[in-house]
């Protein structure tokens, strides 16, 4: 136990007596201001609800403490699993210690004929093609393959969603303990993100870390984290070219860090292991970009990459944060030979080279103050600037608009 | 190839020693005993020791090291009136070492930094890792979620544009510290016992457009690409501020690297930082800096270097003008600093005259 500092002892003793101090007017102004800058004291004064104090705090431009959630309740979380294979017994048994507390949504790939095998003992609901068609009727959005989990996002009624691919199992950390990916995602979402300045010791809110020397104090408050992007051990998320060329390479490096993706920086968000604040970000978590010959392997898709880029632009514009790093999941091998097949059809190379410069130069207007507004604006810019390059982008813009509508009618509810 | 370490039977390509292309710059006021621990890794290299403080004191260098040593008298003699830009009674004086070096690469380390151990218990050759970092490209234009894609066992992830996979030239390799973390004085006061025990096994590129706090304790850079921007400012004796030398250099360096499409990496290697400085002394030194950085950061975030500035020197001179114009109103110190920045470039060019001087820092 570390001994309390002089400063904290002084504050604690002053706070004990604060109720007896009826009048602070004898204190010189600069001391009162300094007092207000101490979060503990500020919270106390604000809690009185006294108009004069609140006004004074605003006039002095003192930053009010970030309302950090005391924790994420289990009842606020949905786990959404896209079933692209019928037998989910191994998957759910392996994840049982970490999933069993939560409500689970399983969305079956509408193209899959076989029945799902899921073990009992979970609070779990399965959605199939019939449900998708039933709820949405005729929708221009194609929910087949990896895109089916977005339907799960739509029908979820929880504030947070965690989604993991069905070929991933819990990983072990460097010490050999099994990683609770769900708990780590929840921690990432409930602690602030720090996008305005890079902290060289990574996440300053982790135990044993902090902001380093040179990190401006006014930027230490952070912003709310909306998206948590996890990683994968063993079979890493590579494009088909890399799968073919490095068929024997496996990711064995456990990087013990979470970090915020800085403001303005773009990154490829992999849908294999993600979590997000559905209540806020839902309208931008869509299956927009669909490659012409999209298959069932992750390397056949870019929907999550596109989704992530849109989400990042929106987060940057609205002052939200995105984190990357822990947790890891253990991703099982896919048949390497299949990558070679996919390679022939893969238009991902062309698409990404068009996509990135577009996102890097993108600036949403100041009048777009909600996620929905941002998505609307984004869709029209995509249609105008990228549409002419490739029809796949025009379709993406359509899907984004369609999703916005679907969200309004089916998604925008919460428990 | 001369100077390459080869391990028989190893399938991993070995890292070149670069012993004739790299100088190790060490600022010191006390002694260099710490070099004994580094001997297995540092002995092949030439050292440039910059002795701060009392020039009449003799700094003992352990046997067997090839070095040149400069004290304040030497600095005054070599630079003449331009010596005013080199700080006195502050480790910021180390940048004099960068200026007099004739090598392509610099590694600088503090004299209270020792060899750390990785999680397997093996001694970390920090210099070798810095060389690996500098010799492989950076990826500033798009963040790779598996961090440095050029590391053994890693690669670019799905969705990483192919047109960007060649990367950018790496100008800076910023290493980290186990044990005593690099905290500012207020944090030290609140958390005096905190130790950094987390070994994060990653190197990554800091994205273009993002500023970071550059710590000079364990730092390597390509002198040809970015050297003139590594001025550590006016600190210490006679100055209103201390412990912001490396920070100042880092902000200037990052803005210029972003402009010239050069990369800055951070992460491995770790060194073991042994000495915790006195937080009350630090608070006195940092006090002004803590308030000033609230204005300095927006300044660096918003500065735009004109296209015509295509060398590091031109970028730096432009920055100095902006510092005088925009930060001069905060405190006269910044006007002095801006002038010192110009003096630094003049001294740099004087000591480093080459026909290819205009090629410095140009992105290839």
């Amino acid at each position: 136990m570390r001994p309390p500092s002089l400063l904290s002892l002084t504050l604690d003793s002053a706070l004990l007596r604060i109720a007896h101090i009826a009048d602070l007017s004898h204190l010189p102004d600069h001391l009162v201001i300094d007092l207000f800058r101490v979060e503990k004291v500020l919270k106390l004064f604000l809690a009185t609800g006294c108009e004069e104090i609140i006004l004074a705090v605003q006039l002095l431009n003192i930053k009010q403490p970030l309302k950090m959630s005391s924790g994420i309740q289990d009842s606020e979380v949905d786990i959404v699993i896209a079933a692209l294979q019928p037998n989910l017994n191994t998957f759910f048994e392996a994840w049982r210690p970490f999933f069993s507390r939560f409500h689970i949504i399983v969305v079956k790939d509408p193209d899959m004929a076989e029945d799902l095998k899921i073990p009992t003992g979970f609070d779990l609901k399965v959605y199939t093609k019939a449900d998708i068609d039933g709820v949405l009727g005729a929708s221009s959005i194609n929910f087949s393959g990896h895109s089916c989990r977005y339907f799960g996002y739509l029908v979820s009624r929880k504030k947070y969603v965690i989604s993991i691919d069905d070929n991933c199992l819990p990983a072990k950390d460097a010490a050999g303990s099994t990683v609770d990916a769900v708990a780590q995602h929840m921690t990432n979402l409930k602690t602030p993100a720090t996008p305005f300045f890079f902290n060289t010791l990574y996440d300053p809110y982790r135990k044993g870390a902090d902001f380093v020397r040179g990190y401006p104090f006014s930027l230490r408050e952070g912003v709310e984290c909306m998206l948590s992007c996890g990683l994968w051990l063993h079979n890493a998320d590579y494009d088909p070219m890399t799968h073919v060329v490095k068929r024997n390479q496996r990711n064995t490096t456990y990087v013990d860090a979470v970090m915020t993706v800085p403001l303005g920086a773009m990154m490829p968000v992999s849908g294999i292991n993600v979590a997000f604040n559905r209540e806020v970000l839902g309208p931008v978590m869509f299956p927009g970009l669909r490659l012409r010959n999209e298959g069932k392997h992750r390397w056949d898709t870019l929907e999550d990459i596109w989704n992530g880029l849109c989400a990042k632009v929106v987060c940057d514009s609205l002052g939200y944060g995105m984190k990357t790093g822990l947790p890891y999941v253990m991703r099982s091998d896919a048949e390497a030979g299949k990558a070679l097949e996919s390679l022939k059809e893969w238009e991902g190379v062309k698409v990404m080279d068009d996509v990135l410069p577009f996102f890097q130069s993108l600036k949403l207007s100041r009048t777009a103050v909600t996620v929905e507004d941002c998505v609307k604006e984004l869709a029209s810019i995509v249609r105008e600037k990228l549409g002419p390059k490739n029809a796949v982008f025009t379709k993406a813009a359509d899907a984004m608009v369609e999703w916005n509508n679907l969200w309004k009618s089916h998604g925008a509810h919460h428990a | 190839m001369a100077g390459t370490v080869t391990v028989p039977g190893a399938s991993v390509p070995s890292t070149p020693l670069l012993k004739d292309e790299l100088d190790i710059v060490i600022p010191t006021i006390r002694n260099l005993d710490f070099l004994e621990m580094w001997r297995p890794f540092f002995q092949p290299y030439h050292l440039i020791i910059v002795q701060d403080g009392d020039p009449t004191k003799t700094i003992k260098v352990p046997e067997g090291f090839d070095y040149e040593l400069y004290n304040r008298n030497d600095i005054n003699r070599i630079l003449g009136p331009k010596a005013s830009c080199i700080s006195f009674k502050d480790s910021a004086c180390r940048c004099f070492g960068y200026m007099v070096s004739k090598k392509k690469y610099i590694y600088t380390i503090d004299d209270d930094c020792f060899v750390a151990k990785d999680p397997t218990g093996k001694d970390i050759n920090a210099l070798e890792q810095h060389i690996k970092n500098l010799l492989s490209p950076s990826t500033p234009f798009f963040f790779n979620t598996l961090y440095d894609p050029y590391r053994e066992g890693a690669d670019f992830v799905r969705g990483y544009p192919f047109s960007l996979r060649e990367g950018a030239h790496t100008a800076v390799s910023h290493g980290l510290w186990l044990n005593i973390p690099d905290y500012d004085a207020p944090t030290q006061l609140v958390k005096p016992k905190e130790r950094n025990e987390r070994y994060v096994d990653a190197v990554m590129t800091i994205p273009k457009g993002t500023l970071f706090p550059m710590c000079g304790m364990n730092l390597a850079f390509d002198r040809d690409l970015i050297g003139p921007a590594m001025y550590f400012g006016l600190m210490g004796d006679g100055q209103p501020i201390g412990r912001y030398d490396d920070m100042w250099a880092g902000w200037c360096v990052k803005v210029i690297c972003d402009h010239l499409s050069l990369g800055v990496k951070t992460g491995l290697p770790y060194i073991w930082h042994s000495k915790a400085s006195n937080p009350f002394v630090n608070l006195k030194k940092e006090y002004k800096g803590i308030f000033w950085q609230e204005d300095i950061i927006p300044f660096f975030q918003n500065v735009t270097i004109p296209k015509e500035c295509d060398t590091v020197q031109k970028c730096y001179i432009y920055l100095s003008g902006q510092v005088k114009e925009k930060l001069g109103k905060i405190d006269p110190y910044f006007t002095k600093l801006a002038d010192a920045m110009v003096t630094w470039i003049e001294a740099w060019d004087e000591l480093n005259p080459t026909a290819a001087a205009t090629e410095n820092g140009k992105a290839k």
Side-chain angles (χ1 to χ4, degrees):
Chain A
M1 275 291 284
R2 65 181 155 79
S5 66
L6 258 181
L7 182 65
S8 72
L9 284 173
T10 312
L11 283 174
D12 287 336
S13 120
L15 280 175
L16 277 177
R17 286 155 186 69
I18 209 128
H20 300 284
I21 309 171
D23 174 23
L24 286 172
S25 59
H26 63 283
L27 277 182
D29 278 349
H30 72 274
L31 277 182
V32 177
I33 293 170
D34 276 343
L35 255 184
F36 278 1
R37 288 199 201 283
V38 179
E39 193 171 295
K40 236 196 262 192
V41 176
L42 180 64
K43 277 193 177 137
L44 197 73
F45 276 113
L46 287 176
T48 62
C50 170
E51 288 281 295
E52 271 179 58
I53 292 177
I54 295 174
L55 191 64
V57 168
Q58 282 172 350
L59 281 174
L60 291 170
N61 217 7
I62 292 169
K63 279 230 158 81
Q64 305 205 19
L66 186 71
K67 283 178 190 55
M68 269 205 331
S69 43
S70 55
I72 296 178
Q73 309 300 322
D74 292 351
S75 55
E76 294 179 282
V77 176
D78 254 338
I79 298 183
V80 173
I81 307 294
L84 266 71
Q85 54 182 316
N87 191 339
L88 298 176
N89 280 325
T90 316
F91 176 83
F92 275 104
E93 284 308 338
W95 284 105
R96 189 185 287 277
F98 310 114
F99 280 10
S100 55
R101 302 176 353 244
F102 302 94
H103 178 253
I104 304 171
I105 291 176
V106 175
V107 186
K108 184 170 173 250
D109 179 2
D111 294 340
M112 193 164 71
E114 304 95 306
D115 286 331
L116 289 182
K117 285 200 188 65
I118 299 173
T120 54
F122 293 98
D123 175 16
L124 188 150
K125 185 159 163 61
V126 179
Y127 292 87
T128 64
K129 182 176 188 329
D131 297 304
I132 298 174
D133 293 341
V135 169
L136 301 182
S139 166
S140 59
I141 293 183
N142 186 345
F143 284 99
S144 78
H146 284 284
S147 293
C148 67
R149 72 199 160 105
Y150 293 96
F151 181 77
Y153 299 171
L154 199 59
V155 297
S156 163
R157 291 292 170 259
K158 303 293 170 104
K159 182 169 176 186
Y160 302 96
V161 165
I162 299 175
S163 186
I164 296 175
D165 273 10
D166 66 5
N167 61 351
C168 296
L169 299 179
K172 286 212 190 318
D173 65 18
S177 324
T178 310
V179 173
D180 183 349
V182 177
Q184 181 65 54
H185 275 306
M186 283 160 75
T187 302
N188 293 350
L189 290 175
K190 77 172 183 237
T191 50
T194 52
F196 306 116
F197 204 75
F198 191 88
N199 194 44
T200 47
L201 282 186
Y202 314 111
D203 186 348
Y205 300 99
R206 275 189 92 191
K207 193 165 180 304
D210 210 306
F211 291 98
V212 296
R213 173 176 60 99
Y215 202 108
F217 278 80
S218 62
L219 298 181
R220 294 190 187 198
E221 226 174 76
V223 297
E224 210 177 335
C225 179
M226 286 297 158
L227 185 56
S228 165
C229 310
L231 294 172
W232 348 270
L233 287 173
H234 194 66
N235 185 17
D237 190 12
Y238 293 142
D239 59 74
M241 261 76 110
T242 311
H243 269 294
V244 169
V245 169
K246 292 196 171 179
R247 56 184 59 221
N248 295 318
Q249 179 163 294
R250 295 292 176 273
N251 186 23
T252 54
T253 306
Y254 186 92
V255 179
D256 189 6
V258 187
M259 64 198 76
T260 300
V261 188
L263 178 75
M266 291 293 126
M267 83 161 202
V269 172
S270 165
I272 294 173
N273 173 16
V274 284
F276 61 96
N277 181 325
R278 186 194 160 276
E279 198 174 74
V280 173
L281 227 53
V284 75
M285 298 302 285
F286 47 61
L289 189 71
R290 199 176 182 94
L291 296 180
R292 255 172 274 262
N293 285 295
E294 190 167 295
K296 303 300 181 190
H297 294 281
R298 264 295 173 195
W299 61 57
D300 291 319
T301 73
L302 281 180
E303 42 87 5
D304 47 355
I305 308 295
W306 176 264
N307 173 204
L309 290 169
C310 293
K312 183 57 164 55
V313 166
V314 171
C315 283
D316 283 352
S317 197
L318 298 181
Y320 295 125
M322 181 192 280
K323 292 185 186 177
T324 185
L326 302 182
Y328 280 89
V329 295
M330 173 75 84
R331 185 165 174 254
S332 54
D333 283 317
E335 307 145 59
K338 298 277 182 182
L340 201 49
E341 273 174 46
S342 298
L343 207 49
K344 289 182 271 173
E345 308 280 3
W346 208 61
E347 65 175 318
V349 184
K350 241 191 322 146
V351 166
M352 279 315 296
D353 281 336
D354 283 330
V355 161
L356 187 63
F358 166 78
F359 278 100
Q360 283 174 331
S361 59
L362 197 50
K363 272 258 143 53
L364 297 179
S365 60
R366 288 200 159 281
T367 51
V369 294
T370 63
V371 177
E372 287 91 339
D373 288 345
C374 288
V375 173
K376 232 184 264 171
E377 191 180 328
L378 200 46
S380 74
I381 304 176
V382 167
R383 194 187 304 280
E384 187 193 316
K385 296 255 160 69
L386 285 179
K389 295 197 187 206
N390 193 328
V392 88
F393 294 120
T394 310
K395 288 213 176 71
D398 290 339
M400 288 160 76
V401 171
E402 168 76 351
W403 180 264
N404 228 353
N405 296 333
L406 286 179
W407 192 265
K408 275 202 207 57
S409 47
H410 301 284
H413 308 280
H414 36 90
Chain B
M1 185 164 75
T4 308
V5 174
T6 24
V7 178
S11 56
V12 177
S14 44
T15 312
L17 260 186
L18 299 184
K19 73 174 182 59
D20 296 321
E21 297 171 72
L22 184 146
D23 273 339
I24 302 179
V25 172
I26 306 166
T28 187
I29 54 169
R30 2 165 204 260
N31 62 63
L32 293 167
D33 294 345
F34 86 116
L35 279 177
E36 272 312 329
M37 201 191 184
W38 286 103
R39 192 183 284 277
F41 304 131
F42 285 6
Q43 189 143 357
Y45 299 89
H46 179 72
L47 312 179
I48 295 181
I49 297 159
V50 185
Q51 178 185 345
D52 196 17
D54 183 3
T56 63
K57 189 165 180 239
T58 313
I59 301 285
K60 205 174 157 295
V61 184
E63 285 287 317
F65 283 99
D66 169 39
Y67 70 96
E68 52 195 286
L69 188 146
Y70 300 93
N71 61 28
R72 191 72 210 180
N73 296 338
D74 299 313
I75 296 173
N76 290 339
R77 175 177 47 85
I78 294 170
L79 293 184
K82 295 201 178 72
S84 59
C85 75
I86 303 295
S87 303
F88 188 48
K89 294 239 179 94
D90 193 287
S91 64
C93 66
R94 76 177 81 207
C95 62
F96 177 77
Y98 308 159
M99 198 194 272
V100 297
S101 164
K102 301 278 168 274
K103 306 287 172 62
K104 180 161 165 64
Y105 302 99
I106 296 281
Y107 175 46
T108 184
I109 183 171
D110 279 14
D111 62 11
D112 59 355
C113 293
F114 294 81
V115 177
K117 286 196 193 302
D118 69 18
T120 68
K122 182 165 161 256
D123 280 351
I124 299 171
N125 182 348
L127 189 47
E128 184 183 60
Q129 182 64 55
H130 276 299
I131 292 173
K132 277 198 184 121
N133 294 348
L134 289 172
L135 292 183
S136 59
S138 297
T139 53
F141 308 115
F142 201 59
F143 189 86
N144 192 45
T145 47
L146 280 187
Y147 314 110
D148 187 343
Y150 303 99
R151 271 190 91 193
E152 192 65 29
D155 211 304
F156 290 97
V157 297
R158 175 176 56 99
Y160 204 102
F162 280 80
S163 56
L164 293 182
R165 294 191 186 198
E166 241 176 62
H169 290 285
T170 304
V172 179
S173 168
H174 177 263
L176 296 175
W177 350 272
L178 289 172
N179 195 40
I180 311 282
D182 189 23
Y183 288 159
D184 52 60
T187 311
Q188 277 181 297
L189 284 164
V190 172
K191 292 182 167 189
K193 292 247 165 73
E194 186 150 276
R195 298 289 176 263
N196 185 21
E197 294 168 354
R198 187 172 289 126
Y199 185 90
V200 178
D201 191 2
V203 184
M204 64 199 75
T205 301
I206 300 179
K208 179 176 174 173
T210 304
L211 290 175
F212 79 114
M214 186 178 85
C215 173
M217 261 198 271
N218 174 20
L219 181 72
F221 60 94
D222 184 322
R223 214 174 142 272
D224 285 352
L225 288 181
I226 199 64
M230 278 288 183
Y231 174 47
F232 271 39
L234 289 174
M235 305 279 149
D237 216 37
Q239 308 299 343
I241 186 178
R243 282 173 55 88
Y244 270 87
D245 51 337
D246 42 6
M247 296 297 139
W248 181 262
W251 298 325
C252 294
V253 158
K254 187 56 165 62
V255 162
I256 293 176
C257 281
D258 285 352
H259 176 78
L260 296 176
S261 296
L262 300 170
V264 174
K265 290 185 179 177
T266 185
L268 302 182
Y270 282 89
I271 46 86
W272 180 270
H273 184 211
S274 68
K275 196 169 177 295
S277 38
N278 185 315
F280 293 101
V281 171
N282 288 346
L283 187 57
K284 273 207 215 113
K285 291 181 183 171
E286 289 174 12
Y287 185 76
K288 287 228 160 89
I290 289 176
F291 288 99
W292 285 347
Q293 79 189 359
E294 299 298 330
D295 287 304
I296 295 173
I297 297 307
F299 164 76
F300 280 106
Q301 282 172 334
N302 294 311
V303 76
T304 317
I305 302 178
K307 247 200 220 101
E308 310 86 69
C309 298
D310 56 359
T311 66
V312 178
Q313 287 92 328
K314 284 188 196 156
C315 293
Y316 204 73
I317 296 290
Y318 176 79
L319 267 185
S320 72
Q322 291 298 295
V323 169
K324 190 176 276 199
E325 187 188 310
K326 303 251 159 67
L327 296 177
K329 28 184 129 131
I330 300 175
D331 193 281
Y333 167 75
F334 290 101
T335 309
K336 250 199 332 180
L337 180 59
D339 289 337
M341 288 167 77
V342 175
T343 307
W344 160 265
I345 294 293
E346 286 168 0
W348 181 283
D349 283 343
E350 216 176 272
L351 287 178
N352 298 283
T354 61
T358 47
E359 234 86 83
N360 266 9
K362 251 204 181 116
K364 293 177 186 87

